[in-house]
Amino acid sequence: MTQSQRDDAPLAPSLPRTLRSARIAVTAAYAAQGLGYAVIVTSLPALKARQEVGDDVVTILVLGVALTAALGSVIANAVAVRWGSRTALALGLIVQAIALPVIALPTEFPVFAGAFAVFGIGLGCVDAAAAMQGVAVQRAYGRHLLGGFFAAATAAAIAGALLVSGVALSAVGAGVALTCAAVIALAAALAGVRFFAREVPIDEVLPKAERAKLPRAGIWAFGLVILAVFVADSAVSTWSTVYLQDDLAALAWIAPLGYAVYQAVVLLTRLATDRLVPRLGRGRLVAIAASVSAVGCVIIALLPFPVAAIIGFALAGVSAGVLIPVTFGAAGELAPEHSDQVIARVNLFNYAGAILGAVVVGLLAEGPGLGIAFLLPAVALAAILFAVPRFRAMPTRAVAGVAPATSDDPSSR
């Protein structure tokens, strides 16, 4: 049997085209998600000027998006249990496609703020449902694919930032970019209705008494890993440019490079993750990624020089690049019959981490300083090492159905 035959065998061997179509459709959903969020955050200066509001209001809006995204993840779980994750993913994309044009239009502030809240619901719904679909397709293929899916989101986020740059930082230009993102989200949803992976909803598979029997210890372990990663990700995303420009007096063109190299490393490591998991094993790869990124945050905190900080930001990108797809993949295999429910719950930790990274690091900046504040994500990332045994207990090869536990040490295979 050839490699391609093995890849397609787990899900309907007579319909390999259906499996490939599902993979393409899920990749498009990840790309639409990355593009939409990037367009939103990079358009904030222009939108702030149009609405004539200050940074404090923008901060509240961003916090509101994180909170409503958590609600969106809960909605994704409810929809997936009843109608399947493909329905939840299409719904989240459609909600975003509705909210983005409203944000783009010159409306009264209450309508503008409401559209942001609705966008957050769509964002959280897609976050959770895309991971559900990604795990389903990965399981069907019998090999790791989540790194590639998340890489598509990162690449699209870079494209979204360039799109906003290309149409200029103005309210009209931002509206054009937001409308483009809405059209792409809607197209991904409509294509997904036909091509997303088809699963039998949990309501149809398990009796009601069985639906609540979730692997709660595993959910908390993997959820706290996701929380730690997003503490670091949010800290770098929110404060890297500010730290380089205001605290380290870097030149204006150098200051954005911290975030640029961070995103570049995230993209490169996500592209490599699917190949690294079977070679190194989940546990070893998680330990390496967490350690490298923790060291990067320590460098940022203790070496107050622009070059050192940029190197630190680059190293910090390894955690988001590797740990997010690996952790969601492992979470989806905790209890395959409850995969959607588990992923929705693990995804909730995403937003808690994002808020902690942005808010707590900012508060620490007012005291000991912004550089030292990066010891917070360093400690959070180092704490991931306590969860490594959980990853070692998981199989390193994604398989169809329930996979038997295997050793995480490649030398034992």
Side-chain angles (χ1 to χ4, degrees):
M1 183 182 289
T2 66
Q3 179 64 44
S4 62
Q5 287 172 324
R6 284 196 300 272
D7 288 345
D8 291 332
L11 180 67
S14 61
L15 296 172
R17 185 177 299 174
T18 301
L19 179 54
R20 290 194 296 269
S21 297
R23 183 180 179 181
I24 293 169
V26 173
T27 301
Y30 272 87
Q33 174 84 331
L35 177 71
Y37 185 73
V39 167
I40 281 282
V41 295
T42 53
S43 296
L44 283 175
L47 296 174
K48 182 181 78 169
R50 187 190 71 189
Q51 294 293 333
E52 298 181 342
V53 296
D55 289 340
D56 55 341
V57 175
V58 172
T59 300
I60 293 172
L61 286 174
V62 173
L63 177 61
V65 167
L67 294 175
T68 57
L71 173 60
S73 188
V74 173
I75 292 172
N77 174 70
V79 173
V81 166
R82 181 66 181 87
W83 294 288
S85 60
R86 61 196 302 269
T87 303
L89 182 51
L91 173 64
L93 289 167
I94 290 171
V95 170
Q96 289 189 29
I98 293 171
L100 285 167
V102 179
I103 295 172
L105 294 171
T107 58
E108 295 295 324
F109 182 77
V111 176
F112 175 75
F116 255 85
V118 172
F119 174 78
I121 292 173
L123 185 76
C125 194
V126 173
D127 274 344
M132 296 173 190
Q133 279 281 301
V135 167
V137 174
Q138 174 173 279
R139 185 182 299 125
Y141 262 82
R143 59 186 174 89
H144 295 276
L145 300 174
L146 280 174
F149 290 140
F150 279 98
T154 305
I158 295 171
L162 293 175
L163 173 62
V164 173
S165 176
V167 298
L169 294 175
S170 66
V172 174
V176 172
L178 289 163
T179 303
C180 288
V183 170
I184 292 171
L186 182 60
L190 295 177
V193 168
R194 179 176 179 184
F195 295 115
F196 287 152
R198 294 179 181 272
E199 299 175 285
V200 180
I202 293 169
D203 269 2
E204 298 179 18
V205 176
L206 298 175
K208 190 172 183 179
E210 294 292 322
R211 294 173 205 160
K213 294 181 179 179
L214 302 177
R216 302 192 187 282
I219 289 171
W220 274 95
F222 292 138
L224 290 173
V225 171
I226 291 296
L227 183 146
V229 173
F230 276 94
V231 167
D233 178 75
S234 183
V236 174
S237 301
T238 305
W239 299 109
S240 59
T241 303
V242 174
Y243 177 57
L244 282 165
Q245 188 163 335
D246 294 352
D247 291 54
L248 302 185
L251 297 175
W253 67 271
I254 291 178
L257 293 182
Y259 185 63
V261 298
Y262 172 81
Q263 285 294 344
V265 171
V266 170
L267 177 60
L268 292 174
T269 50
R270 284 181 172 177
L271 289 171
T273 293
D274 293 333
R275 293 177 176 83
L276 291 174
V277 173
R279 292 183 181 181
L280 298 177
R282 274 188 173 126
R284 185 175 298 174
L285 184 58
V286 166
I288 292 171
S291 300
V292 168
S293 292
V295 169
C297 290
V298 170
I299 290 173
I300 298 166
L302 301 184
L303 297 178
F305 311 105
V307 173
I310 290 172
I311 292 172
F313 290 129
L315 295 177
V318 176
S319 62
V322 171
L323 296 180
I324 294 174
V326 170
T327 303
F328 275 112
E333 293 173 22
L334 275 173
E337 68 278 13
H338 293 287
S339 178
D340 292 351
Q341 294 170 289
V342 171
I343 288 171
R345 285 160 174 78
V346 170
N347 185 62
L348 289 173
F349 290 83
N350 165 349
Y351 310 111
I355 293 170
L356 286 172
V359 176
V360 177
V361 169
L363 292 174
L364 290 173
E366 298 298 323
L370 189 50
I372 295 298
F374 275 92
L375 289 177
L376 171 66
V379 171
L381 291 167
I384 291 174
L385 297 176
F386 291 104
V388 167
R390 281 276 179 182
F391 289 92
R392 286 181 176 153
M394 305 299 297
T396 56
R397 179 172 174 81
V399 295
V402 181
T406 62
S407 170
D408 195 61
D409 182 359
S411 65
S412 67
R413 295 193 294 276

